[in-house]
Amino acid sequence: MFGFMGFGEDIGIDLGTATVLVYIKGQGIVIKEPSVVAIDKDTNTILAVGEEARRMLGRTPGNIVAIRPLRGGVISNYEITEKMLKYFIEKAIGKRSFVKPTIAVCVPSSVTEVERRAVEDATRQAGARQVHIIEEPIAAAIGAGIDIAKACGNMVVDIGGGTTDIAVISLGGTVVSESLKIAGDNFDENIIRYMRKKHNVLIGERTAEDLKVHIGTAYERATPVTLEVRGRNLITGLPKNITVTSEEMHEALQESVLAICDAVHTVLEKTPPELAADISDRGIVMTGGGSLLYGLDKLIKARTGINSIIAEDSVSCVAVGTGKFIEFLSEGKGKLDLFHSKKKEEVVVNTPPTSIDE
């Protein structure tokens, strides 16, 4: 689809470690696919991108490798990231557009100037006419419907696939922030390590994700749940079925979830008293797929004494916020006007989740 009067599309991209989401002005989220690329090593050609490539993880022959070109929220393979971005941009707006799009891309709050430049260059090489970089907590807050332009403290905890970004925001900017390389991917790694140590069973990434989604637990459940999975017995080398309980997942994930809670506590300690009082009244807003881990909001509340709220459609908050950011930029509004709108959205508390999509 062409942009208005041929000036090209305005696109917001949540370039996540686990998932790429693309937002187009006037259309909303148009793409939501895994950040995975399948490559033929013999010919160095891309065979599949996104969901099709994710289905190949752990199931490819020797000459085909399915990789994630982003790690810890930053680019680990520049060339593949550029090709992946180009694929998603063309899929979103089509190859027929005569004018290159203006694109806003979000990055973790702790990225270095070199890492920020790598994202900007890769996006430009993938076909962007102009690139704007926005920090993930700011985008998440906008996407969650928070009016961050006010002189009022808002705390956002964005838990993605590769990073957890925690920030206190006021007057359209970040006052205190912290970024951890602990997030959804680490939850998967914790589960794989636990299954290997406790049951002598090796499971793959997709099985670990299934366990996290269905019975992963950060806070003790009133009614335990179980899930049967299949892995490879490390002693016999044969396939083995095993029933895993939510109590075991609670034990497996403790180290990572407590590290996130400690980081939230650290940011609160560094927050100016007036803003800390605002946060105590308004609560902590949680976004990102990792926030849907069962009981994580309850654990943060128990550790901080502050109500924790999971934003509505938390998985899409960063992408929506990035898209709204570029919409306002295209309309030529100032920094503080950027976040004001006539109709304010409410942050809605979700019921306990049944799935995690990072």
Side-chain angles (χ1 to χ4, degrees):
M1 183 178 290
F2 294 102
F4 178 72
M5 293 295 289
F7 288 109
E9 300 280 7
D10 290 329
I11 299 176
I13 299 179
D14 177 7
L15 189 61
T17 304
T19 307
V20 172
L21 291 92
V22 179
Y23 177 102
I24 293 183
K25 180 179 178 180
Q27 299 181 46
I29 303 290
V30 295
I31 289 177
K32 180 179 175 183
E33 294 199 35
S35 312
V36 184
V37 180
I39 301 170
D40 187 328
K41 291 191 294 184
D42 293 342
T43 61
N44 199 31
T45 56
I46 292 179
L47 300 177
V49 179
E51 181 58 38
E52 187 180 350
R54 189 186 77 89
R55 290 196 291 267
M56 298 181 183
L57 282 172
R59 292 174 171 162
T60 58
N63 65 311
I64 298 174
V65 58
I67 64 170
R68 297 181 184 271
L70 294 110
R71 288 290 175 185
V74 296
I75 294 173
S76 61
N77 188 315
Y78 181 89
E79 184 181 350
I80 300 302
T81 300
E82 179 192 320
K83 291 179 179 178
M84 181 180 73
L85 273 170
K86 186 175 183 180
Y87 169 84
F88 285 130
I89 291 168
E90 288 182 351
K91 185 175 181 180
I93 66 174
K95 297 181 180 180
R96 65 187 183 279
S97 182
F98 296 125
V99 183
K100 291 183 177 181
T102 299
I103 298 177
V105 185
C106 59
V107 295
S109 56
S110 64
V111 295
T112 64
E113 191 58 40
V114 173
E115 291 166 341
R116 182 186 292 261
R117 175 69 65 174
V119 172
E120 185 176 341
D121 290 346
T123 307
R124 204 179 298 278
Q125 290 296 321
R129 173 170 53 91
Q130 192 174 4
V131 180
H132 298 281
I133 303 295
I134 178 174
E135 292 184 356
E136 285 180 2
I138 297 287
I142 299 169
I146 299 172
D147 183 5
I148 64 174
K150 291 182 178 179
C152 181
N154 296 282
M155 189 174 201
V156 176
V157 180
D158 179 57
I159 308 172
T163 60
T164 293
D165 284 280
I166 305 157
V168 175
I169 301 166
S170 179
L171 288 172
T174 301
V175 180
V176 186
S177 67
E178 181 82 22
S179 186
L180 298 178
K181 303 285 187 182
I182 297 174
D185 287 350
N186 296 87
F187 297 162
D188 295 341
E189 292 167 9
N190 292 158
I191 292 169
I192 291 171
R193 193 181 308 120
Y194 180 88
M195 294 294 290
R196 185 179 189 125
K197 182 179 178 181
K198 182 75 179 288
H199 296 288
N200 284 319
V201 170
L202 181 64
I203 60 173
E205 289 181 20
R206 292 188 64 184
T207 303
E209 187 174 2
D210 287 341
L211 285 167
K212 175 182 67 178
V213 167
H214 294 102
I215 64 171
T217 304
Y219 195 83
E220 189 174 345
R221 294 176 186 250
T223 305
V225 292
T226 62
L227 183 70
E228 184 175 308
V229 296
R230 176 174 293 181
R232 176 163 58 85
N233 189 309
L234 291 170
I235 298 173
T236 65
L238 299 174
K240 180 181 179 180
N241 286 358
I242 185 167
T243 300
V244 186
T245 67
S246 55
E247 289 98 331
E248 289 179 302
M249 291 299 96
H250 183 228
E251 183 182 344
L253 295 168
Q254 274 299 285
E255 183 179 351
S256 290
V257 296
L258 288 179
I260 292 173
C261 290
D262 289 342
V264 172
H265 192 278
T266 300
V267 170
L268 285 169
E269 285 181 335
K270 297 177 182 177
T271 302
E274 289 81 3
L275 296 181
D278 292 337
I279 294 166
S280 181
D281 292 338
R282 298 165 68 88
I284 297 169
V285 178
M286 300 176 63
T287 64
S291 68
L292 297 177
L293 180 68
Y294 179 89
L296 187 51
D297 55 330
K298 297 178 184 177
L299 182 63
I300 291 176
K301 181 180 179 180
R303 302 275 292 192
T304 63
I306 300 173
N307 190 35
S308 297
I309 304 162
I310 301 174
E312 185 177 24
D313 196 13
S314 60
V315 175
S316 303
C317 279
V318 172
V320 171
T322 306
K324 287 183 178 179
F325 176 86
I326 200 163
E327 281 184 25
F328 283 110
L329 282 183
S330 68
E331 293 168 9
K333 297 194 176 184
K335 183 179 178 182
L336 291 183
D337 293 333
L338 207 63
F339 312 110
H340 280 306
S341 59
K342 292 181 180 178
K343 184 179 179 182
K344 298 296 186 295
E345 299 176 40
E346 295 293 329
V347 178
V348 181
V349 181
N350 278 352
T351 52
T354 56
S355 66
I356 302 173
D357 191 356
E358 293 160 345

